[in-house]
Amino acid sequence: MKQIKKSKLTQILLIVLVLVMGLILALTKGFNKELKYKEHQEIKLEIGKEYKKTDIKEITNEIFDGQDVVIQDVDEYGDTVLISTNNITDEQKTNLVNKINEKYQIALAADSQEIQTIPQTRIIDILNHYLLAFGVSSIIILVYMAIRYRKLNALKVIFKTVLALVVTEAVLFAIFAITQIPFGKYTVALVFIAYVFALAVIVNKFENKLTKLKLEEKKQK
């Protein structure tokens, strides 16, 4: 019994430590994000003919050495490329256009190519698309659990479920802040996986408690 209490205390202290470290880093350093969610710059080049991303990648690797670069098709014809990176200087733009001209035998004018600055996207805005469905499904789940486990005290069931889900997600975001994992589509998937995992664990615990309670009730009859 003492070992179980000691183990639970250790878990709580570890969770608190992770949350505190995550909060400090989130406030001081912030979260790391994938390039498209950071403030970045992009340039669109109308090559006018089909190109290979591998060729563009070779050119950008040479010009934007050490910078994150994302290469995207702009239209269905595959003749316009959008290049996004942390920062594009005038010199880099000129070198990029010259290399593209040389590679594809075209005559783009560097002065005519515009560099656009894209503002950063907040994490709440990244998750915004999912929040409504997330909230509605959570309410439905909590109502079901309150009914299913009413013998265990519906209010306690709801409180413990909400607490477990909130703590799980808080720890996950703390880990994002500590490790500086780039926040993007894969980390969004982790948010939902963690939610489902925490829910499965808490449901399993309630099921075990409900089973024991039913067995005790049968014995008393």
PDB file of all heavy atoms in Angstrom, residues 126-141:
ATOM      1  N   ILE A 126      -4.421  27.056 -35.430  1.00  0.00           N
ATOM      2  CA  ILE A 126      -4.168  25.776 -36.108  1.00  0.00           C
ATOM      3  C   ILE A 126      -5.210  24.747 -35.672  1.00  0.00           C
ATOM      4  O   ILE A 126      -5.723  23.960 -36.478  1.00  0.00           O
ATOM      5  CB  ILE A 126      -2.748  25.257 -35.785  1.00  0.00           C
ATOM      6  CG1 ILE A 126      -1.681  26.257 -36.267  1.00  0.00           C
ATOM      7  CG2 ILE A 126      -2.507  23.898 -36.429  1.00  0.00           C
ATOM      8  CD1 ILE A 126      -0.270  25.922 -35.807  1.00  0.00           C
ATOM      9  N   LEU A 127      -5.530  24.768 -34.374  1.00  0.00           N
ATOM     10  CA  LEU A 127      -6.474  23.792 -33.809  1.00  0.00           C
ATOM     11  C   LEU A 127      -7.934  24.206 -33.999  1.00  0.00           C
ATOM     12  O   LEU A 127      -8.841  23.406 -33.775  1.00  0.00           O
ATOM     13  CB  LEU A 127      -6.191  23.611 -32.312  1.00  0.00           C
ATOM     14  CG  LEU A 127      -4.825  23.012 -31.946  1.00  0.00           C
ATOM     15  CD1 LEU A 127      -4.611  23.083 -30.452  1.00  0.00           C
ATOM     16  CD2 LEU A 127      -4.724  21.564 -32.435  1.00  0.00           C
ATOM     17  N   ASN A 128      -8.144  25.453 -34.395  1.00  0.00           N
ATOM     18  CA  ASN A 128      -9.495  26.013 -34.487  1.00  0.00           C
ATOM     19  C   ASN A 128     -10.445  25.173 -35.341  1.00  0.00           C
ATOM     20  O   ASN A 128     -11.623  25.050 -35.024  1.00  0.00           O
ATOM     21  CB  ASN A 128      -9.438  27.424 -35.080  1.00  0.00           C
ATOM     22  CG  ASN A 128     -10.192  28.404 -34.214  1.00  0.00           C
ATOM     23  OD1 ASN A 128     -10.721  28.053 -33.164  1.00  0.00           O
ATOM     24  ND2 ASN A 128     -10.254  29.640 -34.656  1.00  0.00           N
ATOM     25  N   HIS A 129      -9.920  24.596 -36.415  1.00  0.00           N
ATOM     26  CA  HIS A 129     -10.744  23.816 -37.345  1.00  0.00           C
ATOM     27  C   HIS A 129     -11.343  22.578 -36.667  1.00  0.00           C
ATOM     28  O   HIS A 129     -12.361  22.060 -37.107  1.00  0.00           O
ATOM     29  CB  HIS A 129      -9.915  23.379 -38.562  1.00  0.00           C
ATOM     30  CG  HIS A 129      -9.243  24.513 -39.271  1.00  0.00           C
ATOM     31  ND1 HIS A 129      -9.947  25.443 -40.012  1.00  0.00           N
ATOM     32  CD2 HIS A 129      -7.950  24.894 -39.362  1.00  0.00           C
ATOM     33  CE1 HIS A 129      -9.117  26.329 -40.524  1.00  0.00           C
ATOM     34  NE2 HIS A 129      -7.886  26.016 -40.144  1.00  0.00           N
ATOM     35  N   TYR A 130     -10.668  22.115 -35.619  1.00  0.00           N
ATOM     36  CA  TYR A 130     -11.086  20.864 -34.988  1.00  0.00           C
ATOM     37  C   TYR A 130     -11.854  21.076 -33.681  1.00  0.00           C
ATOM     38  O   TYR A 130     -12.440  20.130 -33.155  1.00  0.00           O
ATOM     39  CB  TYR A 130      -9.856  19.994 -34.674  1.00  0.00           C
ATOM     40  CG  TYR A 130      -8.872  19.881 -35.811  1.00  0.00           C
ATOM     41  CD1 TYR A 130      -7.756  20.712 -35.886  1.00  0.00           C
ATOM     42  CD2 TYR A 130      -9.044  18.932 -36.808  1.00  0.00           C
ATOM     43  CE1 TYR A 130      -6.849  20.614 -36.922  1.00  0.00           C
ATOM     44  CE2 TYR A 130      -8.139  18.826 -37.863  1.00  0.00           C
ATOM     45  CZ  TYR A 130      -7.043  19.668 -37.903  1.00  0.00           C
ATOM     46  OH  TYR A 130      -6.143  19.565 -38.929  1.00  0.00           O
ATOM     47  N   LEU A 131     -11.832  22.292 -33.150  1.00  0.00           N
ATOM     48  CA  LEU A 131     -12.361  22.535 -31.806  1.00  0.00           C
ATOM     49  C   LEU A 131     -13.855  22.265 -31.662  1.00  0.00           C
ATOM     50  O   LEU A 131     -14.298  21.720 -30.648  1.00  0.00           O
ATOM     51  CB  LEU A 131     -12.042  23.963 -31.365  1.00  0.00           C
ATOM     52  CG  LEU A 131     -10.564  24.246 -31.047  1.00  0.00           C
ATOM     53  CD1 LEU A 131     -10.385  25.689 -30.612  1.00  0.00           C
ATOM     54  CD2 LEU A 131     -10.054  23.301 -29.963  1.00  0.00           C
ATOM     55  N   LEU A 132     -14.647  22.641 -32.672  1.00  0.00           N
ATOM     56  CA  LEU A 132     -16.088  22.447 -32.586  1.00  0.00           C
ATOM     57  C   LEU A 132     -16.433  20.961 -32.500  1.00  0.00           C
ATOM     58  O   LEU A 132     -17.167  20.526 -31.599  1.00  0.00           O
ATOM     59  CB  LEU A 132     -16.795  23.084 -33.790  1.00  0.00           C
ATOM     60  CG  LEU A 132     -18.322  22.935 -33.818  1.00  0.00           C
ATOM     61  CD1 LEU A 132     -18.934  23.576 -32.578  1.00  0.00           C
ATOM     62  CD2 LEU A 132     -18.902  23.554 -35.086  1.00  0.00           C
ATOM     63  N   ALA A 133     -15.876  20.167 -33.440  1.00  0.00           N
ATOM     64  CA  ALA A 133     -16.138  18.724 -33.438  1.00  0.00           C
ATOM     65  C   ALA A 133     -15.601  18.086 -32.159  1.00  0.00           C
ATOM     66  O   ALA A 133     -16.232  17.198 -31.576  1.00  0.00           O
ATOM     67  CB  ALA A 133     -15.493  18.083 -34.660  1.00  0.00           C
ATOM     68  N   PHE A 134     -14.441  18.572 -31.729  1.00  0.00           N
ATOM     69  CA  PHE A 134     -13.796  18.085 -30.515  1.00  0.00           C
ATOM     70  C   PHE A 134     -14.681  18.344 -29.294  1.00  0.00           C
ATOM     71  O   PHE A 134     -14.898  17.461 -28.464  1.00  0.00           O
ATOM     72  CB  PHE A 134     -12.458  18.814 -30.364  1.00  0.00           C
ATOM     73  CG  PHE A 134     -11.478  18.148 -29.444  1.00  0.00           C
ATOM     74  CD1 PHE A 134     -10.941  16.924 -29.758  1.00  0.00           C
ATOM     75  CD2 PHE A 134     -11.094  18.761 -28.256  1.00  0.00           C
ATOM     76  CE1 PHE A 134     -10.019  16.315 -28.916  1.00  0.00           C
ATOM     77  CE2 PHE A 134     -10.176  18.157 -27.408  1.00  0.00           C
ATOM     78  CZ  PHE A 134      -9.642  16.931 -27.753  1.00  0.00           C
ATOM     79  N   GLY A 135     -15.212  19.560 -29.204  1.00  0.00           N
ATOM     80  CA  GLY A 135     -16.051  19.942 -28.073  1.00  0.00           C
ATOM     81  C   GLY A 135     -17.368  19.180 -28.038  1.00  0.00           C
ATOM     82  O   GLY A 135     -17.785  18.689 -26.976  1.00  0.00           O
ATOM     83  N   VAL A 136     -18.028  19.069 -29.192  1.00  0.00           N
ATOM     84  CA  VAL A 136     -19.312  18.362 -29.266  1.00  0.00           C
ATOM     85  C   VAL A 136     -19.146  16.895 -28.894  1.00  0.00           C
ATOM     86  O   VAL A 136     -19.924  16.345 -28.104  1.00  0.00           O
ATOM     87  CB  VAL A 136     -19.921  18.491 -30.682  1.00  0.00           C
ATOM     88  CG1 VAL A 136     -21.144  17.573 -30.826  1.00  0.00           C
ATOM     89  CG2 VAL A 136     -20.312  19.935 -30.967  1.00  0.00           C
ATOM     90  N   SER A 137     -18.113  16.250 -29.453  1.00  0.00           N
ATOM     91  CA  SER A 137     -17.883  14.832 -29.151  1.00  0.00           C
ATOM     92  C   SER A 137     -17.546  14.635 -27.673  1.00  0.00           C
ATOM     93  O   SER A 137     -17.964  13.642 -27.065  1.00  0.00           O
ATOM     94  CB  SER A 137     -16.759  14.271 -30.031  1.00  0.00           C
ATOM     95  OG  SER A 137     -15.546  14.971 -29.824  1.00  0.00           O
ATOM     96  N   SER A 138     -16.824  15.583 -27.086  1.00  0.00           N
ATOM     97  CA  SER A 138     -16.464  15.490 -25.665  1.00  0.00           C
ATOM     98  C   SER A 138     -17.706  15.564 -24.780  1.00  0.00           C
ATOM     99  O   SER A 138     -17.834  14.819 -23.810  1.00  0.00           O
ATOM    100  CB  SER A 138     -15.493  16.611 -25.278  1.00  0.00           C
ATOM    101  OG  SER A 138     -14.268  16.466 -25.948  1.00  0.00           O
ATOM    102  N   ILE A 139     -18.624  16.462 -25.121  1.00  0.00           N
ATOM    103  CA  ILE A 139     -19.868  16.593 -24.351  1.00  0.00           C
ATOM    104  C   ILE A 139     -20.685  15.300 -24.426  1.00  0.00           C
ATOM    105  O   ILE A 139     -21.209  14.815 -23.413  1.00  0.00           O
ATOM    106  CB  ILE A 139     -20.696  17.795 -24.861  1.00  0.00           C
ATOM    107  CG1 ILE A 139     -19.981  19.105 -24.508  1.00  0.00           C
ATOM    108  CG2 ILE A 139     -22.105  17.779 -24.260  1.00  0.00           C
ATOM    109  CD1 ILE A 139     -20.573  20.328 -25.169  1.00  0.00           C
ATOM    110  N   ILE A 140     -20.780  14.735 -25.617  1.00  0.00           N
ATOM    111  CA  ILE A 140     -21.524  13.479 -25.804  1.00  0.00           C
ATOM    112  C   ILE A 140     -20.899  12.354 -24.975  1.00  0.00           C
ATOM    113  O   ILE A 140     -21.602  11.584 -24.309  1.00  0.00           O
ATOM    114  CB  ILE A 140     -21.572  13.091 -27.302  1.00  0.00           C
ATOM    115  CG1 ILE A 140     -22.408  14.110 -28.080  1.00  0.00           C
ATOM    116  CG2 ILE A 140     -22.151  11.680 -27.475  1.00  0.00           C
ATOM    117  CD1 ILE A 140     -22.324  13.958 -29.580  1.00  0.00           C
ATOM    118  N   ILE A 141     -19.564  12.291 -24.999  1.00  0.00           N
ATOM    119  CA  ILE A 141     -18.848  11.258 -24.237  1.00  0.00           C
ATOM    120  C   ILE A 141     -19.075  11.421 -22.742  1.00  0.00           C
ATOM    121  O   ILE A 141     -19.335  10.449 -22.027  1.00  0.00           O
ATOM    122  CB  ILE A 141     -17.337  11.310 -24.558  1.00  0.00           C
ATOM    123  CG1 ILE A 141     -17.082  10.800 -25.981  1.00  0.00           C
ATOM    124  CG2 ILE A 141     -16.530  10.464 -23.560  1.00  0.00           C
ATOM    125  CD1 ILE A 141     -15.691  11.093 -26.502  1.00  0.00           C
TER     126      ILE A 141
END
